[in-house]
Amino acid sequence: MLHFGERVGVAVSGGKDSTSLLFVLNEITREHGTKLYALTIDEGIEGYREEAVKNAEKLAESLSIPILVCSYKELFGLTLDEALQERNEKMAKTTSCAVCGPLRRRSIDRAAEKLGVNLVATAHNLDDMLQTFYINLYSGDLERIKWLDPRFKSTVAGEEFKLRRIKPMIEIYEQELAFFAYLNNLPFQSESCPYMNEGIRTEIRLHLNELERKHPGVKYSTLKTVLSIAASINAGSGNSRPIMRCGNCGAVSSGPICSVCQTLKLLT
Ligand code: SF4
């Protein structure tokens, strides 16, 4: 995933997963000529994000890694709290995470651009991968299941963004990452986002945890299946998904108007 001399942006939210990722990448890239940068996105969630940002800054400073903090307010003109207040009737059924997700992905792209990094590493773990798979399975979204294939993302990013994305921790259980962060005294925020329970993700998470408790290893074997399914869909479709420029902001988009512009238009 990493090549000599690359400039790598590490998306650090200040939680256990991303602080562990920054810590580990710092250890393993020290002698590889790799330059690490921490990217932190401040969504603007009062009473929650402030502590996480401080933790990210504290860790980056202790590892002598430059950190760039970008906020939704600065990039889009409103905080997530403000955006959620603005949800009009048309978006009443839209969960907070569905509003937040596209803004966060765009924020990471912008932060990566500002830093001039070659690739961005995110801290998605095994549990995240499985939850995302089931969410897309239940909503019948094959396209997004295809995105779970690491090769698909690299190909698209390579052609259009010139920015690779990697997820080095998708084979690691969430619990193990929490244990790792704790054992290494990493400063991380243990509190969860106040909006996280609106969608179906938490129910899937609890279900998978219960399955794993009764049948140890089931999550890991499911991940292998998920990756095979994603790769098969990918191979079958030949990466044929059309990529275009958003007619409004010019960003790379899967439709005539990108999801960020659609979201912001509905909010304002
Ligand atoms: Fe955004 Fe949802 Fe994550 Fe909260 S849990 S930061 S709302 S994506």
Side-chain angles (χ1 to χ4, degrees):
M1 288 188 224
L2 297 166
H3 305 293
F4 182 85
E6 280 184 315
R7 292 164 66 92
V8 180
V10 185
V12 183
S13 67
K16 63 190 182 321
D17 302 336
S18 57
T19 50
S20 297
L21 177 63
L22 188 66
F23 182 80
V24 171
L25 284 181
N26 183 55
E27 290 287 312
I28 66 174
T29 59
R30 241 185 240 161
E31 292 169 17
H32 290 250
T34 304
K35 181 75 182 156
L36 293 183
Y37 297 85
L39 320 175
T40 297
I41 308 304
D42 180 358
E43 300 90 347
I45 305 173
E46 205 179 335
Y48 165 69
R49 191 44 92 200
E50 299 90 341
E51 188 197 339
V53 171
K54 271 187 202 144
N55 285 334
E57 288 174 332
K58 194 171 155 191
L59 179 65
E61 192 184 326
S62 73
L63 300 174
S64 303
I65 294 173
I67 181 167
L68 174 68
V69 181
C70 288
S71 70
Y72 283 8
K73 184 80 176 177
E74 154 202 341
L75 294 172
F76 309 114
L78 74 182
T79 66
L80 182 64
D81 287 338
E82 288 164 353
L84 296 178
Q85 277 170 16
E86 293 292 329
R87 267 187 290 191
N88 57 21
E89 273 188 19
K90 204 171 174 188
M91 292 190 81
K93 287 187 179 166
T94 307
T95 64
S96 302
C97 295
V99 174
C100 184
L103 302 181
R104 179 204 284 268
R105 284 191 291 277
R106 179 65 53 82
S107 303
I108 290 177
D109 286 348
R110 292 269 180 85
E113 244 172 60
K114 274 191 188 175
L115 288 170
V117 296
N118 307 95
L119 75 153
V120 171
T122 56
H124 295 92
N125 60 42
L126 186 150
D127 294 67
D128 295 327
M129 288 288 284
L130 297 191
Q131 291 156 20
T132 301
F133 171 76
Y134 279 107
I135 289 170
N136 293 321
L137 180 75
Y138 295 146
S139 61
D141 196 337
L142 273 188
E143 192 65 40
R144 283 175 189 265
I145 289 178
K146 188 167 81 174
W147 293 357
L148 295 173
D149 177 10
R151 281 165 297 183
F152 176 77
K153 288 208 160 186
S154 297
T155 305
V156 173
E159 286 173 5
E160 287 295 324
F161 297 108
K162 296 190 177 83
L163 176 71
R164 283 198 297 132
R165 286 178 183 272
I166 57 170
K167 298 176 188 169
M169 305 205 300
I170 61 168
E171 293 190 340
I172 305 176
Y173 280 50
E174 181 181 13
Q175 252 186 343
E176 289 175 342
L177 284 168
F179 194 44
F180 180 87
Y182 183 70
L183 282 179
N184 286 284
N185 285 322
L186 301 180
F188 69 91
Q189 188 180 40
S190 48
E191 205 183 308
S192 303
C193 171
Y195 301 119
M196 77 173 280
N197 290 328
E198 286 178 20
I200 198 174
R201 186 176 286 272
T202 301
E203 288 155 72
I204 294 171
R205 182 178 186 224
L206 294 174
H207 171 66
L208 289 170
N209 284 347
E210 182 59 13
L211 273 182
E212 178 72 22
R213 193 182 63 76
K214 290 183 182 163
H215 310 282
V218 73
K219 282 188 195 172
Y220 192 75
S221 52
T222 308
L223 175 74
K224 289 188 162 185
T225 310
V226 167
L227 292 177
S228 298
I229 292 171
S232 302
I233 301 173
N234 209 3
S237 65
N239 273 3
S240 58
R241 190 164 182 269
I243 295 169
M244 51 187 92
R245 292 274 166 197
C246 169
N248 189 43
C249 70
V252 174
S253 169
S254 57
I257 299 292
C258 70
S259 54
V260 170
C261 287
Q262 283 179 33
T263 304
L264 292 174
K265 192 175 170 210
L266 287 168
L267 288 174
T268 51

